[in-house]
Amino acid sequence: MGQIDLVDISKSYDKQKNVLDEINLSIEEGEFFVLVGPSGSGKSTLLRMIAGLEDITSGTLKISNEVVNHLPPKDRNLSMVFQNYALYPHLSVEQNILFGLNAKKVDKEEQQKRLIETAEMMGLSELLKRKPKELSGGQRQRVALARSVVSEAPLCLMDEPLSNLDAKLRGQMRMEIRRLQKRLGMTMVYVTHDQVEAMTMGDRIMVLNDGKIQQVGKPITLYNEPANLFVASFIGSPKMNMGKAVFHADRNQLVIDDALHLEIDPVINNVPRYPNVTIGIRAEHLYPGTAENTTHVVEVINVEQLGNETLLAFEVGAEVWTAKWPGQWDVQVGEKVPVHIAIENLCFFDSDTGLLIKPARAGKQQEVVTA
Amino acid sequence: MSMNSTAIQQTPKSQINFEQVKKKQRMKNFSKGMLFLLPSIILFSVFLFYPLARTIYLSFFLTDAAGATTVFVGWENYVTMFTSPIFLQSMKSTFLFVLYTVPITIIISLFLAVIANEKLKGIGFFRTIYSSTMGISVAAASVFWLYLFHPSMGPLNLLLNAIGAEGIGWLTDTSWALFAIAITTIWMNIGFTFLILLGGLQSIDSSLYESADIDGAGYFYKLRRITIPMLSPTLFFVVTVTIINAFQTFGQIDILTQGGPVNSTNLVVYSIYREAFVNYKFGSASAQAVLLFIIILLMTFLQFKFGERKVHYQ
């Protein structure tokens, strides 16, 4: 129950260019699957196609191994949480939660039993008689979730459910939704444009851009081995630092954006020989340089103190790079600071296709460093 | 603002009277607000408030043919009004007329609005058609219906004759005339009511319906549990406006029946008009007008008092 297969799913409006282009995907039973992408990438459309609210232009959609292309939403045995919660303003919390069960003519006793259980679970027992407008944002969110839970559908779809909440509440609801999903063993398909939500909640993530799948995988895989430049820049905060790189074999140097020169040991490092290479390096891999290992000295143009870490921005050619240093660093704007850039921390991308050539080797080492 | 800042510069901090400055600003804001309201205040005073006061004043007098007051009679105009069988008949017709037109107008318009709210090809055409009566003047519509109601060559009677029934004296039969006027009025009001209701329907968040679709709610369940409650503020507005309009019906009566036959379509506004401008009895006409004003005020007040409880504003 609850397994979803998408085979060559495409969507186009009025025979125009495809909004979604041949999506092939399997979502496992009991999985927390996140669809992430910038606005206009087609992620919500994909979710609404799974729900049955949008027509599928071509391709096959299977839920629990059954083709459901032709089925209306109610026969797909799923529940959905909307971005604006879609609560009925004229009904009380209780009536809102029971709306679906009433529509399906579920037995009254059964309704009450499920209502009490769900309200207990979501901490809504005290609020059952209230109207949605008498609830706070977080409570409304919980009612929307409760509606989903009470339906006991094995598959739950969520369309940016946290985007209307403030940052603190969002963090809290993230955890609540995640725990709920694990507890009930639902299959969850979760749409968001927020890569932090995607990283923190998903068992697996699919990055979508311009109607095409960019990459599907575990959050850590996407972070360490982004399949292309888009994923590299989309996943991670602050975003990965990028620059055009030219390899000068005669000098054994890698020149980044005509500004940074990296010495390369020709014996150990096999720098990919592509005509156009873009390199990427995570902010946390731009280490503070010590007396022995400083490779470059850069001029800081902006400092952000986060308390537990410090973000330093500096210019590399036309780009602004950000370094994330653990701890508190008393650095002033305009100061020159030493940094350590190691060649093994660089991801290499083909500038022409955008595809990953070689991921950073440092992903694993980093864990050891911080442990 | 500039005045304030110079004041602050000139006087040392301790001597600024904050209360006084605030008061000055409040006065300035108030006069600015009044300035914006002035055009409406003038127009309302000239065309509404003054005539209202004048009407109340006139209702206590007898007048000459030019409308000048002659004798103060106190409540006598009101007393005569309530004892006049013609006026009582007129009140009865008016209430009957409201009862005929309002519910039917709302039901038909709601039905049209619901079907025109579907996303279908060419729906814009139907929306235009359904709302088109809004663009037709009362005079034009009345003439059009005058033709339809014509006893011998009107399409309605031709149709009745074709199916073997006898023609009806739509505008000449005392038992049909009010009904005929009601039909005309309903037809004319549908355009406006339809448009407002359609607007109300379109402002209902589509995710409510989508959520209900996923829950498996049927068409009528959605209509009853989502559409009607969500539309209630609009319905309330439409009911209020339609009732007021029905009480104020004049044009179609003037053109179609002139209050006849035998005063059966002599609704209050028409009765006021006749009293004032045919019989030149401005005093008693004013008394009727005051009564109509009070009735409409009362109806609207009652609606807000009892109807609004069932209305769900967002």
Side-chain angles (χ1 to χ4, degrees):
Chain A
M1 287 293 275
Q3 181 196 338
I4 309 173
D5 293 296
L6 288 80
V7 185
D8 290 335
I9 294 271
S10 294
K11 172 80 185 174
S12 62
Y13 293 100
D14 307 325
K15 303 197 175 85
Q16 299 284 305
K17 177 177 162 282
N18 280 355
V19 181
L20 285 168
D21 208 10
E22 308 214 330
I23 304 290
N24 282 291
L25 179 69
S26 281
I27 297 169
E28 304 295 328
E29 186 187 333
E31 189 173 29
F32 199 117
F33 192 86
V34 178
L35 297 177
V36 67
S39 49
S41 59
K43 54 193 191 307
S44 282
T45 310
L46 187 60
L47 191 78
R48 293 167 57 83
M49 283 160 85
I50 296 173
L53 299 170
E54 295 275 354
D55 269 341
I56 297 170
T57 311
S58 68
T60 320
L61 171 66
K62 291 189 207 169
I63 296 178
S64 312
N65 287 319
E66 270 178 67
V67 177
V68 295
N69 281 41
H70 58 291
L71 289 182
K74 67 181 163 80
D75 296 331
R76 298 190 181 193
N77 200 11
L78 46 81
S79 61
M80 183 159 169
V81 176
F82 291 82
Q83 180 172 7
N84 59 1
Y85 316 141
L87 300 182
Y88 305 109
H90 56 285
L91 299 180
S92 67
V93 169
E94 177 179 341
Q95 289 165 317
N96 260 296
I97 294 174
L98 293 177
F99 189 91
L101 299 185
N102 255 325
K104 286 199 199 97
K105 305 209 167 58
V106 173
D107 177 62
K108 283 271 183 260
E109 269 176 42
E110 172 73 14
Q111 281 189 19
Q112 282 307 317
K113 199 183 119 229
R114 286 206 218 169
L115 172 73
I116 291 165
E117 268 175 26
T118 310
E120 189 88 6
M121 192 192 306
M122 306 301 303
L124 290 169
S125 305
E126 310 293 312
L127 307 170
L128 287 177
K129 297 293 168 217
R130 295 224 197 143
K131 291 274 169 68
K133 69 175 170 202
E134 297 161 339
L135 301 178
S136 69
Q139 290 167 335
R140 280 182 213 180
Q141 171 70 71
R142 271 200 205 103
V143 177
L145 283 176
R147 240 172 19 173
S148 203
V149 169
V150 86
S151 74
E152 296 185 352
L155 171 60
C156 179
L157 309 178
M158 294 199 172
D159 191 359
E160 310 210 8
L162 303 184
S163 54
N164 288 349
L165 300 179
D166 62 53
K168 194 177 161 200
L169 209 52
R170 207 179 299 162
Q172 189 190 332
M173 289 309 293
R174 243 174 17 213
M175 195 173 70
E176 274 187 39
I177 292 175
R178 182 91 178 116
R179 282 179 60 198
L180 191 71
Q181 182 264 342
K182 286 280 167 265
R183 188 160 150 200
L184 302 175
M186 312 189 257
T187 308
M188 183 83 85
V189 184
Y190 186 103
V191 162
T192 179
H193 62 263
D194 182 353
Q195 58 89 23
V196 177
E197 266 174 40
M199 290 289 286
T200 50
M201 296 173 82
D203 289 324
R204 279 197 305 154
I205 299 177
M206 175 170 111
V207 182
L208 202 63
N209 186 35
D210 239 355
K212 292 191 179 61
I213 296 184
Q214 302 296 316
Q215 191 172 5
V216 182
K218 290 198 165 72
I220 286 301
T221 314
L222 264 62
Y223 190 80
N224 289 338
E225 296 164 31
N228 56 38
L229 283 170
F230 178 81
V231 178
S233 63
F234 193 76
I235 298 287
S237 172
K239 77 185 202 56
M240 188 185 261
N241 303 300
M242 309 258 193
K244 293 248 180 296
V246 181
F247 180 60
H248 293 280
D250 47 335
R251 282 180 281 159
N252 271 327
Q253 261 188 348
L254 191 68
V255 182
I256 300 162
D257 260 345
D258 294 330
L260 277 183
H261 296 257
L262 272 180
E263 300 298 331
I264 287 167
D265 185 339
V267 186
I268 306 167
N269 288 291
N270 49 340
V271 173
R273 306 291 150 87
Y274 275 76
N276 289 312
V277 175
T278 301
I279 62 97
I281 183 165
R282 291 285 177 199
E284 62 270 26
H285 292 157
L286 293 166
Y287 302 110
T290 59
E292 305 91 62
N293 67 8
T294 298
T295 53
H296 300 87
V297 176
V298 295
E299 189 185 328
V300 175
I301 57 168
N302 189 36
V303 183
E304 289 177 35
Q305 295 284 358
L306 300 178
N308 59 342
E309 52 198 20
T310 309
L311 298 182
L312 305 170
F314 55 91
E315 276 173 340
V316 174
E319 303 277 330
V320 174
W321 281 23
T322 309
K324 191 198 282 185
W325 290 0
Q328 301 171 353
W329 295 77
D330 186 18
V331 179
Q332 301 304 316
V333 172
E335 213 170 292
K336 288 198 162 30
V337 295
V339 292
H340 170 66
I341 302 173
I343 193 87
E344 66 264 25
N345 288 329
L346 298 185
C347 290
F348 291 87
F349 299 92
D350 183 342
S351 304
D352 298 321
T353 59
L355 296 178
L356 182 71
I357 303 164
K358 186 168 155 286
R361 238 189 308 137
K364 295 277 188 298
Q365 292 172 1
Q366 177 65 11
E367 285 170 32
V368 180
V369 173
T370 50
Chain B
M1 278 308 287
S2 63
M3 245 183 64
N4 274 343
S5 53
T6 52
I8 287 168
Q9 278 163 14
Q10 283 164 0
T11 44
K13 261 186 189 158
S14 57
Q15 286 178 13
I16 302 172
N17 189 341
F18 289 109
E19 270 312 308
Q20 205 165 9
V21 175
K22 259 196 231 162
K23 211 170 162 189
K24 220 174 190 172
Q25 270 173 343
R26 266 205 300 270
M27 271 310 291
K28 216 164 139 190
N29 271 340
F30 178 75
S31 47
K32 250 190 228 163
M34 287 312 281
L35 216 62
F36 275 104
L37 284 177
L38 204 63
S40 333
I41 289 178
I42 291 174
L43 283 173
F44 269 60
S45 307
V46 172
F47 293 107
L48 278 174
F49 300 138
Y50 172 72
L52 178 65
R54 182 79 188 160
T55 306
I56 294 172
Y57 173 75
L58 272 179
S59 70
F60 296 109
F61 287 90
L62 292 180
T63 63
D64 61 15
T69 55
T70 49
V71 188
F72 178 81
V73 291
W75 294 99
E76 199 159 312
N77 281 332
Y78 291 91
V79 175
T80 351
M81 180 171 80
F82 280 114
T83 49
S84 148
I86 294 178
F87 180 75
L88 291 179
Q89 163 72 29
S90 164
M91 283 313 294
K92 195 182 140 203
S93 306
T94 307
F95 277 100
L96 268 181
F97 180 77
V98 170
L99 212 65
Y100 289 160
T101 52
V102 176
I104 299 177
T105 307
I106 305 269
I107 288 167
I108 294 178
S109 307
L110 183 62
F111 173 73
L112 291 179
V114 168
I115 59 172
N117 195 33
E118 300 289 329
K119 285 193 187 75
L120 296 173
K121 244 190 188 151
I123 199 71
F125 173 74
F126 290 97
R127 286 180 189 168
T128 315
I129 294 282
Y130 294 156
S131 56
S132 61
T133 61
M134 210 174 79
I136 299 174
S137 76
V138 178
S142 302
V143 170
F144 165 68
W145 278 93
L146 199 58
Y147 166 68
L148 286 181
F149 286 138
H150 193 279
S152 55
M153 52 178 253
L156 288 179
N157 274 358
L158 288 183
L159 192 75
L160 284 176
N161 290 337
I163 60 169
E166 214 170 296
I168 295 169
W170 293 100
L171 300 173
T172 47
D173 189 330
T174 43
S175 50
W176 281 100
L178 190 65
F179 187 65
I181 299 280
I183 292 176
T184 314
T185 310
I186 291 167
W187 182 82
M188 287 187 333
N189 284 346
I190 279 176
F192 171 76
T193 322
F194 163 81
L195 207 68
I196 301 286
L197 288 177
L198 183 64
L201 285 177
Q202 303 224 310
S203 68
I204 300 177
D205 191 344
S206 62
S207 66
L208 294 183
Y209 292 106
E210 288 174 347
S211 174
D213 279 337
I214 288 171
D215 283 339
Y219 182 80
F220 289 102
Y221 190 77
K222 280 189 282 183
L223 190 69
R224 188 164 56 84
R225 295 290 303 272
I226 304 175
T227 309
I228 303 290
M230 293 299 288
L231 199 60
S232 56
T234 317
L235 274 174
F236 180 71
F237 168 76
V238 159
V239 168
T240 310
V241 171
T242 322
I243 287 183
I244 293 176
N245 272 342
F247 271 109
Q248 295 180 341
T249 305
F250 176 78
Q252 51 269 55
I253 294 170
D254 192 40
I255 293 171
L256 290 174
T257 62
Q258 272 104 46
V262 208
N263 286 327
S264 61
T265 60
N266 188 16
L267 304 191
V268 172
V269 177
Y270 195 73
S271 158
I272 294 169
Y273 159 76
R274 272 225 303 227
E275 199 73 352
F277 302 108
V278 178
N279 304 336
Y280 298 111
K281 281 157 73 177
F282 291 99
S284 59
S286 296
Q288 292 185 13
V290 171
L291 182 70
L292 178 65
F293 170 71
I294 290 169
I295 289 174
I296 292 178
L297 195 71
L298 213 68
M299 292 291 289
T300 311
F301 172 77
L302 286 178
Q303 275 189 69
F304 270 91
K305 179 112 177 137
F306 296 107
E308 206 172 27
R309 276 191 218 154
K310 296 188 182 67
V311 171
H312 308 281
Y313 292 104
Q314 288 274 22

